[in-house]
Coordinates of all heavy atoms in Angstrom, one line a residue:
V62 N 15.4 12.5 9.5 CA 15.1 11.4 10.5 C 13.7 11.7 11.0 O 12.9 10.7 11.1 CB 16.2 11.4 11.6 CG1 15.6 10.5 12.8 CG2 17.4 10.8 11.1
M79 N 14.4 2.0 14.5 CA 15.7 1.8 15.1 C 16.8 2.5 14.3 O 17.8 3.2 14.7 CB 16.1 0.3 15.2 CG 15.1 -0.4 16.3 SD 15.3 0.4 18.0 CE 16.8 -0.3 18.6
H151 N 6.0 10.9 24.5 CA 6.9 10.6 23.3 C 7.9 11.7 23.1 O 9.0 11.5 23.0 CB 6.1 10.2 22.1 CG 6.9 9.9 20.9 ND1 7.3 10.8 20.0 CD2 7.5 8.7 20.5 CE1 8.2 10.3 19.1 NE2 8.2 8.9 19.4
I243 N 0.1 -4.2 6.2 CA -0.3 -3.8 4.9 C 0.7 -3.0 4.1 O 1.0 -3.1 3.0 CB -1.6 -3.0 5.0 CG1 -2.6 -4.0 5.6 CG2 -2.0 -2.5 3.6 CD1 -4.0 -3.2 5.8
E303 N 81.9 24.0 40.4 CA 81.8 23.6 41.7 C 82.6 24.3 42.6 O 83.9 24.5 42.3 CB 82.0 22.1 41.8 CG 80.9 21.2 41.1 CD 81.2 19.8 41.2 OE1 82.1 19.4 41.9 OE2 80.5 19.0 40.6

Side-chain angles (χ1 to χ4, degrees):
V62 168
M79 293 302 282
H151 181 268
I243 299 175
E303 296 180 359

